[in-house]
Every structure is written in C-alpha cells, then in structure tokens.
Amino acid sequence: MTTTLTRSVTTSRPPRMGAAHRRRPSLGRVLAWVAMILVIVVTLFPFYWILRTALSSNTAINSDPTSLLPVGFSLGGFERVFGLQSTEEALAQGGSGAALNFWRYLLNSILVSTLVTVGQVFFSAAAAYAFARLRWPGRDKVFGVFLAGLMVPAIFTLLPNFTLIKQLGLVDNLLGIALPTMFMTPFAVFFLRQFFLGISKEVEEAALIDGAGKVRVFFRLVIPMAAAPIATLAVLTYITSWNDYFWPLMVSYTDSSRVLTVALGVFKSQTPQSGTDWAGLMAATLVAALPMILLFGVFAKRIVNSIGFSGIK
C-alpha cells in the first residue's frame, strides 16, 4: 500500500498593515484639508445665512441678530413672496403689505434669459466657425479687433445701447432687455473658436468631398461634435443673463417687463415703517437664486471639463 504524501506549499505573504500601522497623514495634507474646509464654509455660509433669515420671523430678527438658527421660525417670508398672505397678515409680520407679482417676474426672467442664450450661442458659434475655418482677407486682424472688446468695460456700452433701444421703441420691453447681448460676445466667440480649431480638418474635408456644403458641414458635423462646449456656453450665458441687474433696471419700468433681479430691488424699496422686510427679501432672493444653483450643480462637471478641453486655463 503506497501512501502518497502531499506537501502543502505555503506561500509567504507580507503581514497586512493594520489600522495602527497605516501611514499617518503628513502635516501639509492636514493643513490643506483644513484650508479647503474653511474655504467651503466661508463660501457656503452666505447661502446658509440667507436661508436662516428667510425662515425667521421678520418681527423677531432684531431681537437676536447673531443667532445661527432661525429666530422665531416662520414661513411668512415665503408666503409673502408667493402672494399667499393678505395685506393685513403681511403688515402684522413686518412686511410692507405690497403685492409681489413673483410669477410674472419669474416668467420675464425665463423669457429674457432664453432669448439671450439661444441667440448668443447660435450667432457666436457661426462667427467662431468663420474665424476658425473660413479663409478670407484680414480674418486674423478682424478677430484681434473683435477680441479687444473683452477689454471694454460693460458700463461703457450702457448709454449707447440705451439710446439705440430707445430709438427702436423697445424701452420697457422684454426684447429691449435681451437685444444688446442677444447676438454674440467676444468671450463666447473666443471660447468656441478654441474648440473648433481642435477639430480635425480631414473630417470636414471628407464631408466636402462627399458633396456637402459649408453650411451643411457646420450644422450636421461641427455642431454635433461641439455639443459639450456649446452646452457649457449655454449654461454660462443663461446664468449671466439671469443675474443681470443694471441693464434691465435701465430699460424696464413696469411689471410687464420687470425681471426677477430688478423686482428684488423694488421689493426692498417697499420698506414698511418697522424696517426692511428682511425675511421676505431673503426668501425672494433664495427662490430667485435656487434655479441657477441647481443648474450649475447639474452641469458643473461638464463646464470644468469643457473649459479645460478648449484650452482656456
């Protein structure tokens, strides 16, 4: 009877590193995390303070202005913003009692921002493609002059734009608010041109050989390939147009054309005898800013990636 002895070969393995034996974080790493947390806290604290004030009772805010928690928790500020309070209730809670046509202002902001975004992205994309691909005399010089517009402060263009809008009869009109930035801007053209220059010319030449014209190549080939930077530009343009204040203030005088940012200033000016309605003002500010915060939060990663890919660093 033959007995077969099987030897088990044990493989030597290094002992696992326990939690106690793990490498301790360096002092520089700890300081970097502390600094980053402080920056995040400082950045987000104003938004928290807006929320804290909006959830406070307007008559009780002055009793404890340094409290980090809502003072006399109340939703009265939001009720006044959405028109859910009567005049008597608003006056009793420290409001002005004046009606805030919030939904009208919100619709005006949406319409103006949409007009500006659609027009600016389309015309800027067409101009950027012309500067990147088409060959015509003086192209680079014209682009340099056009790009110099980035150095012109926006406030210098307010009076000429106002004169033009007045002569066109578009004062106190939504189109008059959108028109000055509805076509193209130097930044938008430069941003898209950087991406178009990175597109392979061989792809466009192949389409031209197949019989496609420049216009068809632009709409059927270049635009789909540039979907990411175009979406990024659209988000940035929409946010900028939504937050614009001074130009809409100059050309809108009634509720028919008043956008949300201007309406907040009007709401603050309707000060009751007891003082500013801080709870209602912060509630309106939070509601006005919330769509843009959500929009940027959804597209933040795409925006960062597109900016880096387009060569803007």
Side-chain angles (χ1 to χ4, degrees):
M1 182 175 182
T2 306
T3 306
T4 304
L5 299 178
T6 305
R7 295 182 179 180
S8 59
V9 180
T10 58
T11 304
S12 60
R13 296 179 180 178
R16 291 184 177 181
M17 299 293 291
H21 299 282
R22 291 177 182 174
R23 187 178 63 177
R24 295 181 179 179
S26 62
L27 178 61
R29 183 182 294 272
V30 173
L31 293 178
W33 275 101
V34 171
M36 185 171 61
I37 292 173
L38 288 177
V39 171
I40 293 175
V41 171
V42 171
T43 303
L44 296 180
F45 184 76
F47 295 99
Y48 169 76
W49 196 256
I50 291 175
L51 178 62
R52 170 259 182 195
T53 307
L55 294 176
S56 300
S57 172
N58 196 58
T59 56
I61 288 179
N62 294 329
S63 63
D64 192 2
T66 60
S67 175
L68 294 178
L69 298 177
V71 183
F73 181 85
S74 174
L75 296 176
F78 292 96
E79 293 176 353
R80 289 192 293 279
V81 169
F82 294 115
L84 301 178
Q85 278 188 349
S86 63
T87 304
E88 293 75 13
E89 292 174 337
L91 292 173
Q93 294 189 11
S96 63
L100 179 65
N101 197 354
F102 177 82
W103 299 110
R104 178 63 185 178
Y105 303 145
L106 179 64
L107 179 61
N108 290 342
S109 293
I110 293 175
L111 291 175
V112 170
S113 299
T114 302
L115 285 173
V116 171
T117 301
V118 173
Q120 189 177 135
V121 169
F122 173 76
F123 291 110
S124 296
Y129 183 74
F131 282 122
R133 284 290 186 264
L134 302 184
R135 299 290 181 181
W136 41 279
R139 183 193 66 175
D140 295 336
K141 294 181 180 179
V142 173
F143 179 71
V145 174
F146 186 77
L147 202 61
L150 288 171
M151 296 182 290
V152 178
I155 195 171
F156 287 175
T157 64
L158 290 177
L159 288 179
N161 285 335
F162 180 80
T163 302
L164 176 62
I165 294 301
K166 185 176 181 180
Q167 292 176 349
L168 293 175
L170 295 177
V171 174
D172 200 19
N173 188 286
L174 293 179
L175 184 59
I177 299 176
L179 196 60
T181 54
M182 191 174 165
F183 291 99
M184 62 185 76
T185 61
F187 170 77
V189 174
F190 173 74
F191 179 81
L192 293 178
R193 177 180 177 271
Q194 293 300 107
F195 181 84
F196 292 156
L197 288 174
I199 297 178
S200 176
K201 292 183 179 180
E202 287 74 11
V203 178
E204 299 180 41
E205 292 174 353
L208 292 174
I209 293 175
D210 290 340
K214 284 288 185 180
V215 176
R216 186 176 181 184
V217 169
F218 175 70
F219 284 103
R220 300 294 296 274
L221 183 64
V222 176
I223 292 297
M225 294 177 65
I230 286 178
T232 299
L233 179 63
V235 172
L236 294 177
T237 304
Y238 199 93
I239 293 175
T240 302
S241 178
W242 184 278
N243 294 330
D244 193 14
Y245 172 76
F246 198 62
W247 172 250
L249 179 65
M250 289 184 63
V251 296
S252 61
Y253 305 113
T254 62
D255 288 350
S256 61
S257 65
R258 188 167 289 151
V259 296
L260 201 52
T261 51
V262 177
L264 293 179
V266 175
F267 184 80
K268 184 179 182 300
S269 66
Q270 297 171 344
T271 303
Q273 296 180 355
S274 58
T276 304
D277 183 7
W278 289 114
L281 180 61
M282 292 299 102
T285 303
L286 182 63
V287 173
L290 191 58
M292 295 302 99
I293 295 175
L294 295 177
L295 184 65
F296 186 82
V298 172
F299 292 96
K301 186 175 181 180
R302 173 172 290 186
I303 291 173
V304 174
N305 292 339
S306 296
I307 291 177
F309 185 73
S310 300
I312 303 176
K313 300 180 180 178

